[in-house]
């Protein structure tokens, strides 16, 4: 399994500057051959949330609905 760490603040600033969504990026990262774990960390490198990238777009779309609400709550807590 491949692990990808993302510093949340700079990641979302970059996405905002590029007018690009996290889910568009995740869709491009889908790899049917290898599982990928995305770990969101804060500026102190503390884990905020993690996400196992699915192997197909349909599951990604389903996950988007659930994860978006969860992630918003986690960001408020940090």
């Amino acid at each position: 399994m491949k692990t990808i760490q993302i510093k949340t603040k700079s990641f979302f600033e970059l996405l905002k500057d590029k007018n690009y969504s996290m889910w568009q990026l995740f869709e491009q990262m889908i790899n049917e051959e290898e599982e990928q774990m995305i770990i969101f960390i804060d500026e102190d490198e503390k884990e905020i949330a993690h996400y196992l990238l699915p192997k197909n777009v349909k599951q990604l779309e389903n996950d988007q609905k659930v994860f978006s609400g969860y992630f918003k709550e986690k960001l408020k807590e940090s």
Side-chain angles (χ1 to χ4, degrees):
M1 178 184 306
K2 182 177 181 180
T3 302
I4 302 163
Q5 286 192 349
I6 295 176
K7 286 199 174 183
T8 310
K9 183 178 179 181
S10 56
F11 175 69
F12 285 110
E13 286 174 359
L14 178 63
L15 289 177
K16 184 178 177 181
D17 289 345
K18 299 291 182 184
N19 196 28
Y20 207 71
S21 86
M22 171 176 76
W23 298 100
Q24 289 173 300
L25 179 62
F26 287 175
E27 184 174 338
Q28 292 178 11
M29 293 171 60
I30 290 176
N31 180 341
E32 295 178 9
E33 305 297 318
E34 181 179 24
E35 288 189 335
Q36 298 179 77
M37 175 68 71
I38 300 171
I39 301 172
F40 295 91
I41 58 175
D42 63 15
E43 296 302 310
D44 296 324
E45 300 200 11
K46 178 182 171 192
E47 183 177 328
I48 297 172
H50 62 273
Y51 177 62
L52 181 60
L53 193 64
K55 293 185 177 187
N56 62 63
V57 175
K58 183 166 178 58
Q59 183 61 49
L60 180 75
E61 290 168 354
N62 291 335
D63 289 354
Q64 179 180 2
K65 295 171 190 167
V66 174
F67 190 76
S68 291
Y70 168 79
F71 196 71
K72 285 178 186 177
E73 289 302 313
K74 285 295 194 178
L75 284 175
K76 288 178 186 177
E77 292 174 9
S78 67

